[in-house]
Amino acid sequence: MEDKRTHELPELYAPNGGEGPYSYSQNSNYQRGVVEAAKEKINEAIANHFDIQTFCGTKNPVCIVDLGCSTGANTFITVQNIVEAIKLKYKSKGVNAQIPDFLVFFNDNVSNDFNTLFKSLPPNRQYFAAGVPGSFHGCLFPKASLHLIHSSCALNWLSKIPIEITDESSPAWNKGRIHYTNATKEVVEAYETQFSKDMESFLFSRAQELVVGGLLVLFVPAVPDVMSNSDTYTGTELDILGSCLMDMAKVGLVEEAKVDSFNVPAYYTPPKKLKALIERNGNFSIKRMEVLNNQKKHLILQSSSLRSLYLRAVLEGMIEKHFGNEILDELFNRFTHKIEGSSFFLNPETEKLIILFVLLERNN
Amino acid sequence: MEDKRTHELPELYAPNGGEGPYSYSQNSNYQRGVVEAAKEKINEAIANHFDIQTFCGTKNPVCIVDLGCSTGANTFITVQNIVEAIKLKYKSKGVNAQIPDFLVFFNDNVSNDFNTLFKSLPPNRQYFAAGVPGSFHGCLFPKASLHLIHSSCALNWLSKIPIEITDESSPAWNKGRIHYTNATKEVVEAYETQFSKDMESFLFSRAQELVVGGLLVLFVPAVPDVMSNSDTYTGTELDILGSCLMDMAKVGLVEEAKVDSFNVPAYYTPPKKLKALIERNGNFSIKRMEVLNNQKKHLILQSSSLRSLYLRAVLEGMIEKHFGNEILDELFNRFTHKIEGSSFFLNPETEKLIILFVLLERNN
């Protein structure tokens, strides 16, 4: 009946819960910048491509999901944008009286802090709200039950680390590193292959869940097509975090074998690769695909301590699981100091991470 | 667009979260007994009244909610019963190939521990799962979006304490008690009035959410029609808990004024009263209304310490909020000892709590 992969995935991580000093809710200004820059794109997408005539009768609710929502408030801002844009479209078509109910699903991995998410739902929201736990690499909703699927700053997360990366006997063993930046060709290829598999299951699942004509609105952390792997900004950041772990291994604060077996399951795709995967899937028409003009990016990431908090809010769960929580303060203190002397931090123009806006429509 | 009351209700309590020694998940055997006894009733209700022809086309999912689900595993057992019974009906009608997807919503108050609920979702479940936070005294779902609504051991909870109960200048001031058992006529009437208002908004909301022909399957903690208030078992239990609080006030462990201002928002309806409220609402046909044969009841409540844990798992949140957490162990130790000498505990036959099975169908 349903794609069983949903329930069989290994434990996946979500950003830090709660509202404390290391929480995602307090340290997601970078993602907030994306949300703000995305508003105009979402409005245009809905104005030009959301088909209120065909699939929204007056009796059926409009069903929307935010995949990888984490905790608030970014997801609430985005969802309100979407609901308002759809309502505006009804009004502009003179069908004001027919505006349907809205049902909004908030999705993230099972380990996400849904309790905090639910407690911070806007009291004056204009939609019914539900939380859906589970990996978006599988099917999460009944067939043809959604009208708009949104995901921001989430598709860079892989469903798992490719097995060969942690296999000492494999040529893809990623010794002394925690990511593919500056790693061997085999490591890079293993990450690329995993991303391709994950996008395949992601697009397959979304094609099941969306009604014909439904929209898939994605904001994907990515890198420009012309880059080599050693250029990537985000890679550099993870490379520095990895080198902090190796420094700690050298002075006996962590085991070196533990560093060897730890890898961050994140991949930053070039646009060409993503486009090829979408075309291979065949269920979607590409309506827009462009780089988001995220002007606040440099502003937000200019402080070394804020940058460290931003990374900690996202990665702490998986680092803690692997190394234990006693290394966290030391690790992120070292990271804060180390990036201060790094060229990519001193010269923000070398930072190459882009956010790709991708608008897809479900084919017949 | 939607009933705004959903979002404006004051903070409501849910049973204890997590999986610790005082959690609902570890101390809900009484409710489990209800779930087991209810299975046959649910199967009959679906076999005789669930209209697969009319409202479940092959393309639309069957949408089900469990209102007041708390944490698992009772809610998962119930939901599986429901899904299997509906599938069986499809099979018995020879429309096996048309079995639709199932979308199951798990609802409880915002303070419910959804994180624990989500982590314990059965991995081999045959439905898509979503959590819906909020009070069932308001609308939680879009119009005509549900096919079956279930609620067990939850409708005895009021949306709030009637204001006059804690008003020193009112004749309904409930001094020295925490419930209406053995209280004045004015106190009893205030509880009754609140229950009537709550049932009115409950039935109004469910009538909005259910499709025509949809089922409302309720298992309601209640008392027989012929009883006086001083007879009620559950009342007696709360009366004893109240007397423990007063004992603690006398020795200075809590303030007496705090006890005066604390009241448990629970009401146990006689069947006649509930029937009258359903008829007054007018949106539902009563298909069944009978006392559930809950044979395991005595067995489960025979140990004073288990009985104390059962009550603690349910009430701890609201007691802690009012009195602070330092009184909890002392209070429930006193309660455990006090019920051991109580006639209703020594003679289980005097226990009068019943579970009322009510099956309603949404009218045209």
Side-chain angles (χ1 to χ4, degrees), chain B residues 13 17 72 119 150 167 276 284 343 363:
Chain B
Y13 295 92
K119 280 172 189 141
H150 171 273
D167 176 0
F284 299 95
S343 64
N363 294 334

Side-chain angles (χ1 to χ4, degrees), chain B residues 8-242:
Chain B
E8 287 170 6
L9 285 165
E11 189 181 359
L12 294 169
Y13 295 92
N16 278 347
E19 294 174 344
Y22 303 125
S23 66
Y24 177 85
S25 66
Q26 297 297 320
N27 296 287
S28 46
N29 280 327
Y30 173 77
Q31 294 88 338
R32 169 73 59 90
V34 174
V35 164
E36 288 173 9
K39 181 171 180 172
E40 191 192 342
K41 299 293 171 196
I42 290 174
N43 289 349
E44 283 173 19
I46 289 169
N48 297 327
H49 299 284
F50 191 82
D51 185 359
I52 62 171
Q53 307 293 346
T54 309
F55 53 69
C56 298
T58 50
K59 289 176 80 175
N60 291 326
V62 174
C63 294
I64 295 163
V65 63
D66 185 23
L67 298 174
C69 66
S70 188
T71 48
N74 291 344
T75 187
F76 302 133
I77 295 169
T78 298
V79 158
Q80 192 183 322
N81 285 351
I82 292 170
V83 170
E84 282 174 1
I86 296 175
K87 284 190 170 182
L88 191 66
K89 183 148 190 181
Y90 274 89
K91 284 174 191 160
S92 73
K93 299 281 178 191
V95 286
N96 206 341
Q98 293 173 28
I99 293 180
D101 285 349
F102 288 81
L103 176 55
V104 176
F105 296 96
F106 295 91
N107 157 261
D108 211 313
N109 292 322
V110 173
S111 62
N112 188 50
D113 186 353
F114 284 94
N115 289 348
T116 293
L117 179 79
F118 287 167
K119 280 172 189 141
S120 52
L121 273 163
N124 59 346
R125 63 191 181 273
Q126 300 177 309
Y127 51 84
F128 296 101
V132 172
S135 163
F136 56 53
H137 295 106
C139 279
L140 295 163
F141 297 92
K143 280 187 287 292
S145 64
L146 298 175
H147 302 99
L148 189 149
I149 298 174
H150 171 273
S151 184
S152 179
C153 299
L155 270 173
N156 49 316
W157 295 105
L158 300 175
S159 69
K160 62 177 179 182
I161 284 295
I163 187 92
E164 59 270 39
I165 297 289
T166 53
D167 176 0
E168 291 187 32
S169 67
S170 164
W173 186 34
N174 198 20
K175 181 167 171 50
R177 301 194 169 280
I178 65 167
H179 199 230
Y180 60 83
T181 316
N182 294 322
T184 64
K185 184 167 66 71
E186 287 82 359
V187 171
V188 177
E189 283 172 0
Y191 268 91
E192 281 175 355
T193 304
Q194 187 61 48
F195 179 75
S196 296
K197 281 183 196 164
D198 285 347
M199 274 307 296
E200 197 175 338
S201 60
F202 178 85
L203 292 169
F204 172 84
S205 301
R206 301 302 80 78
Q208 300 288 309
E209 298 162 354
L210 267 182
V211 298
V212 169
L215 299 182
L216 185 48
V217 185
L218 306 175
F219 296 90
V220 188
V223 292
D225 281 320
V226 292
M227 286 178 66
S228 74
N229 283 308
S230 58
D231 284 339
T232 64
Y233 137 71
T234 301
T236 305
E237 196 157 54
L238 292 174
D239 214 32
I240 292 172
L241 190 71

Side-chain angles (χ1 to χ4, degrees), chain A residues 19-237:
Chain A
E19 293 173 344
Y22 303 126
S23 66
Y24 177 84
S25 66
Q26 298 297 318
N27 296 289
S28 46
N29 281 327
Y30 173 77
Q31 294 89 338
R32 170 74 57 92
V34 174
V35 164
E36 288 173 9
K39 181 172 182 173
E40 191 193 343
K41 298 294 171 196
I42 290 175
N43 289 349
E44 283 174 19
I46 289 170
N48 297 328
H49 299 284
F50 191 82
D51 185 359
I52 62 172
Q53 307 292 347
T54 310
F55 55 69
C56 298
T58 51
K59 291 175 80 175
N60 292 325
V62 174
C63 295
I64 295 163
V65 63
D66 185 22
L67 298 174
C69 66
S70 188
T71 49
N74 291 345
T75 186
F76 303 132
I77 295 169
T78 298
V79 157
Q80 191 183 324
N81 285 353
I82 293 171
V83 170
E84 282 174 1
I86 296 175
K87 284 190 170 182
L88 189 67
K89 183 146 189 183
Y90 274 90
K91 285 173 191 160
S92 73
K93 299 282 177 191
V95 287
N96 205 342
Q98 294 173 25
I99 292 179
D101 287 348
F102 288 80
L103 176 55
V104 176
F105 296 95
F106 295 90
N107 157 262
D108 211 313
N109 292 324
V110 173
S111 62
N112 188 48
D113 186 353
F114 283 95
N115 288 347
T116 293
L117 179 79
F118 287 168
K119 279 172 189 140
S120 52
L121 273 163
N124 59 347
R125 63 191 181 272
Q126 300 177 309
Y127 51 83
F128 296 100
V132 172
S135 163
F136 55 52
H137 295 104
C139 278
L140 295 163
F141 297 92
K143 280 186 287 292
S145 64
L146 299 174
H147 302 98
L148 189 149
I149 297 173
H150 172 272
S151 185
S152 180
C153 298
L155 269 173
N156 50 315
W157 295 105
L158 300 175
S159 68
K160 62 176 181 184
I161 284 294
I163 187 89
E164 58 270 38
I165 297 289
T166 54
D167 176 1
E168 291 188 32
S169 67
S170 164
W173 184 35
N174 198 19
K175 181 167 172 51
R177 302 193 169 279
I178 65 168
H179 199 230
Y180 60 84
T181 317
N182 294 322
T184 63
K185 184 168 65 75
E186 287 82 1
V187 171
V188 176
E189 282 172 0
Y191 268 91
E192 280 176 356
T193 303
Q194 188 61 48
F195 179 75
S196 296
K197 281 184 197 165
D198 285 347
M199 273 308 295
E200 197 176 338
S201 59
F202 177 86
L203 292 169
F204 172 85
S205 301
R206 303 299 82 78
Q208 299 288 308
E209 298 163 353
L210 268 182
V211 297
V212 169
L215 299 182
L216 185 47
V217 185
L218 305 175
F219 296 91
V220 187
V223 292
D225 281 319
V226 291
M227 286 178 68
S228 73
N229 284 307
S230 58
D231 284 339
T232 65
Y233 136 70
T234 302
T236 306
E237 196 157 54

Side-chain angles (χ1 to χ4, degrees), chain B residues 191-361:
Chain B
Y191 268 91
E192 281 175 355
T193 304
Q194 187 61 48
F195 179 75
S196 296
K197 281 183 196 164
D198 285 347
M199 274 307 296
E200 197 175 338
S201 60
F202 178 85
L203 292 169
F204 172 84
S205 301
R206 301 302 80 78
Q208 300 288 309
E209 298 162 354
L210 267 182
V211 298
V212 169
L215 299 182
L216 185 48
V217 185
L218 306 175
F219 296 90
V220 188
V223 292
D225 281 320
V226 292
M227 286 178 66
S228 74
N229 283 308
S230 58
D231 284 339
T232 64
Y233 137 71
T234 301
T236 305
E237 196 157 54
L238 292 174
D239 214 32
I240 292 172
L241 190 71
S243 77
C244 292
L245 280 166
M246 285 302 284
D247 292 345
M248 289 171 73
K250 278 170 201 149
V251 295
L253 292 172
V254 296
E255 287 174 49
E256 191 170 333
K258 277 269 185 195
V259 183
D260 292 343
S261 61
F262 180 74
N263 290 276
V264 177
Y267 179 80
Y268 299 88
T269 185
K272 267 187 194 163
K273 184 178 179 65
L274 183 59
K275 188 160 181 277
L277 289 166
I278 294 164
E279 285 168 349
R280 193 167 78 189
N281 172 276
N283 286 304
F284 299 95
S285 308
I286 301 177
K287 297 292 177 187
R288 296 285 288 276
M289 188 162 189
E290 62 196 48
V291 176
L292 189 71
N293 185 10
N294 180 14
Q295 291 181 322
K296 286 200 178 170
K297 182 173 68 170
H298 299 309
L299 203 69
I300 290 160
L301 297 180
Q302 234 164 19
S303 146
S304 59
S305 58
L306 289 182
R307 192 158 193 151
S308 184
L309 283 168
Y310 148 78
L311 205 65
R312 182 168 182 168
V314 172
L315 293 180
E316 184 172 280
M318 68 182 81
I319 294 172
E320 185 176 355
K321 174 87 177 184
H322 192 85
F323 293 100
N325 67 4
E326 62 278 7
I327 75 153
L328 293 169
D329 287 340
E330 173 78 18
L331 174 62
F332 283 98
N333 283 340
R334 283 171 178 260
F335 176 78
T336 308
H337 293 124
K338 205 158 190 169
I339 56 168
E340 282 166 4
S342 153
S343 64
F344 90 100
F345 183 74
L346 296 169
N347 180 9
E349 293 313 310
T350 63
E351 186 193 298
K352 292 297 187 293
L353 180 73
I354 57 173
I355 299 290
L356 208 56
F357 165 52
V358 184
L359 175 62
L360 306 179
E361 188 178 298

